[in-house]
Amino acid sequence: MNPPDSPAAPAPPLSRAEPRAAPPAQRRTHLALAILFGVALLLHFRLAILNWDSGFLVGHEFRQTHTAIITFYLDKENRFSLHYTTPLFGKPWSVPLEFPLYEWSVVLVSRALHLPHFEAARGVSLACFYLALPAVYLLLGSLGLAGPRRLLALTLTLVCPVYIFYSRTFLMESMVLMFSIWFLAAFVRALRERRAGWLVLGALAGAAAGLIKSTVFFAWLLPAALYGAWCLWGSLRPWTGWKPVARTIAWGLGVAVVPCAATTWWVKYTDAIKIHHPSAHIFSSRELTEGSFGLYSLAARFAPAVWKQMMVCWQVAIMWPWLIAVLVLGGAVCFRRYRWHILGAAGLFMFPQVLFPYAYGGQDYYFYSCTVFLTVAFGYVLLGVLESRLPAWLRWPIVVVPLAAMLACYRGYYYQGQIVWSNGGWGLTDALRVLTPADSVIVVSGADWAPMIPYYAQRKALMIRNGLQYDPKYLARAFSDLDDENVSALVMVNDERTDRALVERAANHFNLDPAPTFSCQFADVYVNLFFRDQVVMALTKNNNFNQVRLEAKPGQAVAIAEEARAVTPGIAGPMFPMISPVPSRIHFAFGYSCYQVDGATVLSIHPDSDIWVPAPAGATRIRWDIGILAGAYERAGPVTNGVEFIIEGEAPDGTRRLIFHRLLDPAGNPSDRGPQHIDLPYRGRPGEALVFETRPNGAYSFDWAYLRRLEVK
């Protein structure tokens, strides 16, 4: 193949070779290859849709649920923005990692076809994989292969385990692979044919690939660079002036500049956000390349443990490593015509593994980005077999060997997980989803930042990354950042279940049950005290959550703190909708509870109750609607002897002044029966908080006082 602008290459591109009548044997071979491709395509589709409606995101569930929970909140919040919600690391919620084109596509498909997100995601992923195949076909044509002969590499790609399994997952791998292959195909065509359409396609596809996942795009940027350098060398030899050189450079840069610029911009844009986050800074490009990817680690590239794990990934994602070596090395030795095609394609397969050894050594789905290079190498090996002098009865069995080997490896690993039908999650996540408020936040420790619990529970989360549970400065900031959120539960996982210091700190800050409310085999859950009794009642009445055990006993009161408890605005808002502004501190001697009176939700303020409300600047009035339940004084036998309702102003130094006092005695004074409306003029003092109190008039029996509305303005 001669580069463009070379005197020896005035002819059209190699993919447009003059058609010639093929001999009968070759036509039979081409027909067999077409049939084999058709069978592989049908088989791939059949295996890819196996358990399509299973909500269990099997296969690197850690990574799939990360993409899935971003998609869930993108749809829920209708937030098609670059500052999308990543609800895993606490506040600030926006921690953009990849460009959200995949997530946007999933939401749009889900809305258009009324599909659950996981089915829409599988549809998008599978469609992207199939749309990548024509680009591979075009690239093989640029290498001089006739149409039917290109199908052999595509057939191998279709039966490769990593492309069967991960083409149907909630991952962006197939989308970024599709854009990357089209970038390379358009790059080659643009340099050969010098058409603006190919330039535009290559620039857009490359930009999309780089934005979505730069580590995958880098795997395809190398062959583009190599082809560009080869074309440039062809423009220099023989020397005919600077014009051919300038044209080659202009066309190459015309395709590559936009993708590289877009990738660089996105990395800098997201790094500026991530490096200031208290825990998500580990996802900055510097942290990832130096740590998680091993880009700058020479030792990682020669570490036996890394390559041992890499071989495990080869066997899972492709086939047995020894057979890969036999095919590549044997093909290079035996078929000189295709030697450099085989070695070159195999080298491109190895390049990203050497570049990012830690990433590829520990995560088999990373091989989705580069294994197509290896299947192309296999394709050339099998073409050499079909063109060899071996007996016809032996050639096709040899061709079938790698196909059968890949299907056997798929059945031995991926298939075993894929046939398990499950909605995903556990009884624990079902309980969190059903029993905690829908817009609440959970705190999880002991699971690092694995998103499975928050995803299946459909809750935003503060995932306390491993090690940070011992960092008081981080915890103070992370907890304070959630003060305007309704934190409904703390989930302690595995070994973290014994970390009483963290439990006590979280319980005090977020008003949580100091003892486990319910648990499962691997986790304890501490529920917010405001609705802890409701959770206990629900689990006592009907516990349909698999392996969930109720730890708190029905009717068992939570130990009441003698001192008042601070309450964050995020928790106080949904718990005290009848109070404005929301309380900053509370104390209920008999616990928090609400009930209905005359169709309205009221707050129980049985003595002794104390509610601290910060007085807004410039406030002039206090409105307090209160009462005592009729059953407290209309019942037969002993009745209430009244309740004192008190308002005091508390200065920053703790001193108090009396603002209002009234005794309601509905049993002895008929005018005190029913709802009571208190409307007071108020002149506040700097920094003053108002304390609304109830006290018994001697005894506590039947003092069923309630608060219907409280407003300071």
Side-chain angles (χ1 to χ4, degrees):
M1 181 168 61
N2 295 309
D5 293 315
S6 169
L14 289 175
S15 58
R16 298 181 179 179
E18 291 294 328
R20 292 185 295 177
Q26 189 175 3
R27 289 200 299 270
R28 288 194 297 271
T29 298
H30 289 173
L31 177 60
L33 291 174
I35 293 173
L36 191 62
F37 171 78
V39 171
L41 183 61
L42 291 174
L43 179 62
H44 181 279
F45 182 75
R46 177 64 187 91
L47 293 175
I49 64 172
L50 184 65
N51 269 343
W52 187 264
D53 59 346
S54 172
F56 175 34
L57 301 183
V58 60
H60 277 280
E61 193 178 16
F62 186 115
R63 191 64 183 85
Q64 288 196 67
T65 51
H66 176 260
T67 309
I69 198 169
I70 290 173
T71 304
F72 176 82
Y73 277 96
L74 191 155
D75 193 9
K76 182 177 181 179
E77 299 171 352
N78 198 32
R79 193 174 184 181
F80 289 82
S81 165
L82 298 184
H83 282 278
Y84 56 85
T85 296
T86 307
L88 298 173
F89 309 106
K91 286 195 166 181
W93 294 120
S94 179
V95 187
L97 300 180
E98 294 92 0
F99 191 85
L101 182 60
Y102 178 81
E103 290 87 343
W104 293 347
S105 303
V106 171
V107 171
L108 293 176
V109 170
S110 173
R111 292 179 178 182
L113 301 180
H114 306 289
L115 295 173
H117 289 154
F118 67 87
E119 287 192 36
R122 287 169 180 161
V124 171
S125 295
L126 193 58
C128 287
F129 171 72
Y130 289 142
L131 289 172
L133 297 180
V136 178
Y137 188 86
L138 286 176
L139 280 170
L140 293 173
S142 297
L143 292 172
L145 287 180
R149 298 161 70 82
R150 308 177 207 174
L151 296 179
L152 191 50
L154 296 182
T155 300
L156 287 156
T157 303
L158 285 167
V159 300
C160 185
V162 74
Y163 292 124
I164 297 174
F165 184 73
Y166 284 110
S167 294
R168 46 100 64 198
T169 52
F170 210 138
L171 292 173
M172 59 197 68
E173 309 306 308
S174 64
M175 178 176 280
V176 69
L177 179 67
M178 173 191 71
F179 284 126
S180 297
I181 298 176
W182 275 108
F183 159 76
L184 181 59
F187 183 88
V188 171
R189 292 284 175 142
L191 282 178
R192 291 194 59 79
E193 301 178 17
R194 308 292 167 84
R195 294 185 182 180
W198 288 116
L199 185 148
V200 172
L201 176 61
L204 293 178
L211 288 171
I212 297 172
K213 196 164 187 177
S214 57
T215 53
V216 174
F217 179 56
F218 288 156
W220 291 84
L221 197 57
L222 176 65
L226 293 175
Y227 182 75
W230 185 80
C231 290
L232 186 60
W233 178 252
S235 300
L236 292 170
R237 294 186 65 192
W239 177 257
T240 58
W242 285 107
K243 186 176 180 180
V245 176
R247 289 184 63 197
T248 300
I249 293 174
W251 279 92
L253 292 178
V255 180
V257 163
V258 172
C260 292
T263 304
T264 302
W265 164 78
W266 181 250
V267 169
K268 290 183 177 180
Y269 173 79
T270 56
D271 275 356
I273 298 172
K274 289 181 284 191
I275 59 176
H276 296 296
H277 196 281
S279 67
H281 58 82
I282 62 166
F283 301 107
S284 66
S285 59
R286 180 175 180 178
E287 293 275 358
L288 288 174
T289 53
E290 292 183 358
S292 300
F293 295 159
L295 179 63
Y296 302 120
S297 173
L298 185 62
R301 292 177 172 83
F302 295 98
V306 172
W307 284 99
K308 182 178 180 180
Q309 188 59 39
M310 207 90 76
M311 296 302 102
V312 173
C313 290
W314 284 15
Q315 180 168 330
V316 168
I318 310 164
M319 67 171 75
W320 303 291
W322 66 266
L323 185 54
I324 293 175
V326 167
L327 286 169
V328 172
L329 299 178
V333 170
C334 297
F335 310 119
R336 296 180 59 186
R337 178 182 177 185
Y338 297 125
R339 176 176 299 167
W340 295 113
H341 295 81
I342 295 168
L343 294 177
L348 293 174
F349 165 71
M350 293 297 300
F351 166 71
Q353 300 172 61
V354 175
L355 190 65
F356 304 119
Y358 287 148
Y360 281 83
Q363 300 166 111
D364 59 291
Y365 74 90
Y366 260 75
F367 285 83
Y368 198 96
S369 67
C370 62
T371 299
V372 67
F373 291 122
L374 191 60
T375 57
V376 167
F378 292 162
Y380 276 108
V381 173
L382 298 187
L383 282 177
V385 171
L386 292 175
E387 295 170 1
S388 69
R389 297 180 180 179
L390 291 171
W393 60 267
L394 185 58
R395 294 176 203 158
W396 284 103
I398 294 176
V399 168
V400 170
V401 166
L403 300 175
M406 286 193 280
L407 289 174
C409 288
Y410 163 75
R411 183 173 179 80
Y413 185 75
Y414 291 135
Y415 178 78
Q416 302 306 316
Q418 198 175 333
I419 59 176
V420 175
W421 195 98
S422 168
N423 279 324
W426 313 272
L428 174 83
T429 54
D430 294 339
L432 287 168
R433 186 178 66 254
V434 173
L435 300 177
T436 62
D439 292 322
S440 65
V441 174
I442 60 175
V443 178
V444 183
S445 184
D448 202 9
W449 61 278
M452 286 83 82
I453 291 175
Y455 169 68
Y456 291 118
Q458 296 182 358
R459 297 291 180 269
K460 290 182 179 179
L462 167 62
M463 306 292 298
I464 301 176
R465 286 181 25 239
N466 290 347
L468 291 180
Q469 69 268 40
Y470 308 118
D471 185 342
K473 184 177 179 181
Y474 161 77
L475 292 175
R477 174 180 172 178
F479 285 6
S480 297
D481 285 343
L482 295 178
D483 281 351
D484 60 347
E485 297 284 353
N486 182 14
V487 177
S488 59
L490 168 69
V491 184
M492 302 293 284
V493 180
N494 295 328
D495 293 342
E496 268 298 285
R497 301 169 81 169
T498 61
D499 189 350
R500 288 303 305 172
L502 180 60
V503 170
E504 290 172 8
R505 182 168 194 151
N508 290 332
H509 193 97
F510 297 118
N511 199 49
L512 305 175
D513 193 342
T517 311
F518 62 89
S519 65
C520 71
Q521 185 177 0
F522 63 89
D524 295 328
V525 179
Y526 301 78
V527 170
N528 193 301
L529 286 174
F530 284 125
F531 52 87
R532 178 255 195 193
D533 290 345
Q534 300 171 32
V535 172
V536 172
M537 188 179 301
L539 288 174
T540 302
K541 183 178 180 180
N542 189 16
N543 183 359
N544 289 324
F545 305 107
N546 186 36
Q547 296 186 341
V548 167
R549 301 185 307 272
L550 176 62
E551 301 292 346
K553 304 302 180 185
Q556 178 185 27
V558 179
I560 304 298
E562 293 183 3
E563 301 297 327
R565 181 185 292 273
V567 58
T568 64
I571 294 173
M575 296 300 107
F576 301 102
M578 69 290 291
I579 301 177
S580 177
V582 295
S584 59
R585 295 170 69 197
I586 55 165
H587 177 253
F588 299 110
F590 291 91
Y592 165 88
S593 65
C594 291
Y595 45 82
Q596 295 289 309
V597 173
D598 297 330
T601 300
V602 301
L603 173 69
S604 171
I605 50 174
H606 189 296
D608 293 328
S609 293
D610 302 87
I611 303 171
W612 280 257
V613 176
T620 59
R621 301 208 71 79
I622 299 173
R623 293 188 174 91
W624 196 14
D625 294 350
I626 56 176
I628 298 176
L629 290 177
Y633 52 85
E634 292 179 348
R635 64 191 307 276
V639 295
T640 180
N641 57 359
V643 177
E644 292 184 275
F645 292 82
I646 305 165
I647 305 177
E648 292 184 315
E650 185 176 85
D653 62 2
T655 59
R656 293 189 178 188
R657 65 185 179 104
L658 181 65
I659 296 175
F660 171 82
H661 175 274
R662 179 178 173 182
L663 171 65
L664 287 186
D665 183 12
N669 185 0
S671 65
D672 288 344
R673 299 174 183 177
Q676 304 293 310
H677 306 284
I678 298 169
D679 191 342
L680 302 173
Y682 168 67
R683 179 176 293 179
R685 295 180 180 179
E688 184 174 62
L690 296 173
V691 187
F692 296 82
E693 309 165 42
T694 57
R695 295 293 182 265
N697 184 30
Y700 287 91
S701 300
F702 311 108
D703 289 349
W704 300 337
Y706 64 83
L707 182 159
R708 181 167 183 165
R709 185 183 67 153
L710 194 165
E711 186 177 26
V712 182
K713 66 177 183 178

